[in-house]
Amino acid sequence: MKRTIQLIPVLGSLSVTAVQAGSDVKESGEKPLNIIYIMTDDHAQQTISCYDKRYNRTPNLDRLASEGVRFTNSFVCNSISGPSRAVLMTGKHSHKNGMKDNSCSFDNDQQTFPKLLQKAGYQTAMIGKWHLNGTPQGFDYWEILPGQGEYYNPDFITKDGTKRNPGYVTNVITDKGIHFLENRDKNKPFCLLLHHKAVHRIWMSDLKDLDAYEGKKFKMPKNFWDEYNGREAAGKQEMSIDKNMDLVYDLKMKGSGAKTWYGESFVKGAYGRMDEEQKRIWDAHYDPIIKKFVEDKLEGKQLVEWKYQRYMTDYLKCVKSLDDNIGRVYDYLKKNDLLSNTLIVYTSDQGFYMGEHGWFDKRFMYEESMRTPLIMRLPERMKKRGTVKEMVQNIDYAPTFLDLAGVEIPSDIQGMSLLPLLENKKTDHWRNALYYHYYEYPGEHAVRRHYGIRTERYKLIRFYGADVNTWELYDLKKDPMEMNNLYGNEQYKDRVVTLKAELEALQKQYDIKESDY
Ligand code: SGN
Ligand code: CA
């Protein structure tokens, strides 16, 4: 099969393994390669124990990593959901796929990797959070959550209309995924996208996990009380645990009399849609916590610390359910002898703040939200194991899947196939800089528009808009928490000149013009 040589020379040397992966494979007698792409929402690397052991344990994710690979420098190019999903589908930066922020409209008629895989004979399925307008194209089977979806008794849009499904969303999505696998056309290779709602706000736990992490005290990140000195845009955000996290809506203190902005929408919405039995179990858990909260009358710093602890507890319960459900998928594949010829990918639509800088949410080009977890359990014939340290980005997923399937990578795709990294190939010419661009302002959480470059050691960001026009520079080696903006510091003058030239080169490479901002 003919292939497109991409930006870097190493991709010219595609392996026999990749070529054999798709339609040519039947001739060689090897099993075709399947793909299961599991993407969660807002899952911070900090809460996956093969990345970070401070807060929790995720045995099933850790097993995928220990049997496969863990990317330690995996990033997104625009840290927000809709755009991230459009990047996944197209392998292109936001200005090219048209989905710059959550309010944009995704052109479903454009080229996507599932369409190309389907054309090459793959059976394709999309189950869970879609978060792009319209209905999915290029999938033999799909069932999607409307918008953000709900944690309890979620509705799913299907080809036959919208249907409500009883239960907890992470379990329901997994059930549907396994159901697809069970009923698929077993003569074809498959590509299943399982897109979870969890761990998105408002972090509602499965009933079975309500007791998890209760009583555990989490250590706050060192920069929790950040005052944003020298970082004007960071000071203007509205995603602070202190000021913007709602005691009722986010932290479930309904009926406590706490000051609330959105409390009613929790009571009528996310909680309101539970059935009586679910509510009874939920209340039996939260009522004593609410009672204690009312009695304690916390104020000031003590209240903020309490909010942080509740946030961590609720969030980690949702992670536990995800991890359990990933175990269920793994068990199914094992039982059905599919592990040896299936690529299992685990990632999130972006990273998330677990109190770093005092925040929840994402959007910024700072490390916690620009990074995203990326774990792959590889088909047997791909020999790489352990950690992959090269800088990869979500634009790379689409070309990787096409490459794996032996499908020609269209020349307008901007990402790079990761296969050379997974096959222990020499990768001396791998990229050494990433481009990032965030556009959703005005918007929720008030993060100003910005773009920038990240190299292995430095990050240069420009925030722009009506009320901000600033540059920031970080030395990630000396200042991994990005607290010290070095822009304007005499000692880094030359570094800024070099980085600006590199940034301009990246913008040229990805064909972004000022009119795209
Ligand atoms: C919702 C959330 C926000 C979140 C956005 C985008 N508010 O609007 O906190 O930043 O989604 O998230 S909520 O009140 O509806 O929970 S994204 O991951 O889908 O992009
Ligand atoms: Ca998200």
Side-chain angles (χ1 to χ4, degrees):
M1 214 168 249
K2 229 183 88 208
R3 287 168 180 280
T4 308
I5 295 173
Q6 289 239 307
L7 303 167
I8 47 156
V10 70
L11 292 181
S13 60
L14 281 153
S15 67
V16 175
T17 310
V19 176
Q20 286 177 339
S23 46
D24 298 345
V25 83
K26 286 190 188 113
E27 289 148 38
S28 75
E30 285 196 65
K31 285 190 195 169
L33 298 183
N34 306 305
I35 300 164
I36 297 193
Y37 175 87
I38 305 173
M39 180 162 72
T40 51
D41 200 331
D42 295 359
H43 192 182
Q45 251 183 32
Q46 304 91 295
T47 62
I48 301 179
S49 47
C50 64
Y51 280 104
D52 190 332
K53 293 191 171 43
R54 282 176 296 170
Y55 305 124
N56 62 334
R57 288 294 179 271
T58 48
N60 291 294
L61 284 170
D62 293 7
R63 176 172 55 184
L64 291 184
S66 69
E67 293 178 3
V69 297
R70 180 178 64 106
F71 289 78
T72 53
N73 287 299
S74 152
F75 300 87
V76 296
C77 59
N78 182 3
S79 182
I80 185 140
S81 168
S84 187
R85 288 156 209 276
V87 168
L88 160 72
M89 290 295 154
T90 61
K92 296 175 186 173
H93 278 279
S94 307
H95 64 285
K96 284 287 175 199
N97 66 46
M99 190 78 193
K100 289 181 181 171
D101 64 42
N102 275 343
S103 69
C104 289
S105 181
F106 182 67
D107 172 12
N108 279 293
D109 291 336
Q110 67 186 297
Q111 167 186 287
T112 64
F113 86 84
K115 288 184 192 173
L116 296 169
L117 286 188
Q118 197 181 38
K119 226 166 111 190
Y122 268 70
Q123 200 179 167
T124 55
M126 158 72 222
I127 295 166
K129 181 173 172 182
W130 172 241
H131 210 201
L132 295 168
N133 50 280
T135 50
Q137 288 184 25
F139 294 96
D140 297 298
Y141 185 82
W142 56 266
E143 279 198 64
I144 57 172
L145 296 169
Q148 296 282 4
E150 295 284 351
Y151 273 107
Y152 276 90
N153 310 325
D155 292 329
F156 281 80
I157 305 171
T158 73
K159 281 177 188 162
D160 307 317
T162 300
K163 290 179 190 158
R164 187 166 288 208
N165 293 251
Y168 182 69
V169 70
T170 308
N171 303 330
V172 175
I173 289 173
T174 307
D175 291 347
K176 288 181 186 299
I178 292 174
H179 184 261
F180 163 76
L181 293 174
E182 193 63 26
N183 294 288
R184 72 189 199 278
D185 174 353
K186 298 198 169 97
N187 294 314
K188 283 180 168 185
F190 64 84
C191 172
L192 166 63
L193 311 188
L194 266 189
H195 290 191
H196 286 284
K197 175 195 170 51
V199 205
H200 194 273
R201 195 181 182 186
I202 47 175
W203 318 296
M204 288 174 82
S205 160
D206 187 358
L207 298 176
K208 80 167 175 47
D209 297 318
L210 280 168
D211 288 336
Y213 303 101
E214 289 295 352
K216 181 163 176 170
K217 198 150 174 14
F218 301 97
K219 202 168 162 209
M220 290 169 116
K222 280 201 192 93
N223 61 355
F224 186 91
W225 300 105
D226 191 358
E227 290 177 343
Y228 318 116
N229 294 322
R231 286 159 290 143
E232 192 186 333
K236 289 181 190 292
Q237 64 27 73
E238 292 169 10
M239 46 191 254
S240 121
I241 292 176
D242 177 2
K243 298 189 177 68
N244 310 108
M245 188 175 271
D246 193 277
L247 284 162
V248 178
Y249 178 68
D250 290 310
L251 300 179
K252 295 104 188 162
M253 294 298 107
K254 71 179 165 56
S256 67
K259 185 180 158 214
T260 177
W261 300 283
Y262 320 113
E264 202 164 318
S265 93
F266 171 67
V267 176
K268 288 194 178 146
Y271 172 82
R273 63 184 292 122
M274 288 177 153
D275 66 28
E276 290 314 307
E277 179 61 3
Q278 289 168 335
K279 281 183 184 161
R280 193 188 60 73
I281 299 170
W282 182 272
D283 289 341
H285 178 78
Y286 277 102
D287 281 352
I289 299 170
I290 296 170
K291 186 164 174 274
K292 179 145 189 351
F293 171 72
V294 172
E295 285 164 7
D296 287 351
K297 297 191 179 63
L298 300 173
E299 281 179 13
K301 269 198 166 181
Q302 273 192 325
L303 176 61
V304 181
E305 284 180 18
W306 178 90
K307 288 174 88 174
Y308 167 76
Q309 296 297 338
R310 287 309 317 162
Y311 165 50
M312 292 297 286
T313 307
D314 285 347
Y315 184 100
L316 293 175
K317 292 177 198 200
C318 297
V319 172
K320 181 178 177 304
S321 155
L322 281 172
D323 190 70
D324 291 345
N325 275 291
I326 281 145
R328 289 179 60 211
V329 174
Y330 180 97
D331 290 345
Y332 178 87
L333 296 175
K334 189 168 180 192
K335 209 168 144 202
N336 290 278
D337 194 23
L338 285 163
L339 280 176
S340 63
N341 63 326
T342 301
L343 170 72
I344 310 173
V345 179
Y346 182 83
T347 186
S348 170
D349 63 342
Q350 11 70 204
F352 212 66
Y353 293 93
M354 304 308 303
E356 298 86 0
H357 303 281
W359 296 338
F360 64 104
D361 216 65
K362 52 266 177 175
R363 301 163 190 266
F364 279 105
M365 192 185 165
Y366 301 133
E367 288 293 272
E368 289 81 0
S369 45
M370 185 181 178
R371 282 183 180 276
T372 197
L374 183 62
I375 298 167
M376 293 188 189
R377 192 189 188 283
L378 307 174
E380 216 160 55
R381 63 183 96 141
M382 292 183 190
K383 295 301 175 203
K384 178 78 181 177
R385 296 291 179 270
T387 56
V388 179
K389 297 196 178 86
E390 282 82 356
M391 287 195 291
V392 304
Q393 206 167 22
N394 52 346
I395 48 172
D396 300 332
Y397 303 164
T400 303
F401 301 150
L402 293 172
D403 202 359
L404 182 99
V407 176
E408 179 172 345
I409 300 168
S411 58
D412 60 348
I413 281 190
Q414 297 185 312
M416 294 157 46
S417 166
L418 301 175
L419 284 199
L421 302 178
L422 303 177
E423 291 171 336
N424 267 335
K425 290 268 149 64
K426 270 192 90 174
T427 47
D428 297 344
H429 296 94
W430 197 252
R431 66 160 75 85
N432 53 22
L434 299 172
Y435 183 66
Y436 184 93
H437 206 137
Y438 171 82
Y439 302 85
E440 193 171 295
Y441 186 81
E444 202 176 359
H445 300 300
V447 175
R448 271 38 176 196
R449 292 176 184 224
H450 58 288
Y451 63 87
I453 177 172
R454 188 198 191 280
T455 65
E456 214 174 292
R457 175 148 183 191
Y458 296 99
K459 193 182 284 181
L460 180 74
I461 315 175
R462 182 187 168 225
F463 290 91
Y464 65 94
D467 64 346
V468 59
N469 185 7
T470 51
W471 288 88
E472 295 183 9
L473 171 71
Y474 298 97
D475 181 337
L476 299 167
K477 196 168 167 199
K478 289 190 184 155
D479 177 27
M481 299 186 112
E482 296 158 301
M483 298 293 285
N484 186 17
N485 177 10
L486 297 166
Y487 193 85
N489 180 323
E490 261 312 294
Q491 279 178 5
Y492 289 85
K493 226 171 134 193
D494 294 345
R495 177 68 55 195
V496 167
V497 172
T498 317
L499 285 167
K500 280 191 176 169
E502 284 178 43
L503 174 58
E504 219 172 282
L506 278 181
Q507 292 191 314
K508 208 167 160 201
Q509 177 189 335
Y510 293 127
D511 191 29
I512 176 158
K513 303 176 188 71
E514 199 121 5
S515 56
D516 289 319
Y517 290 20

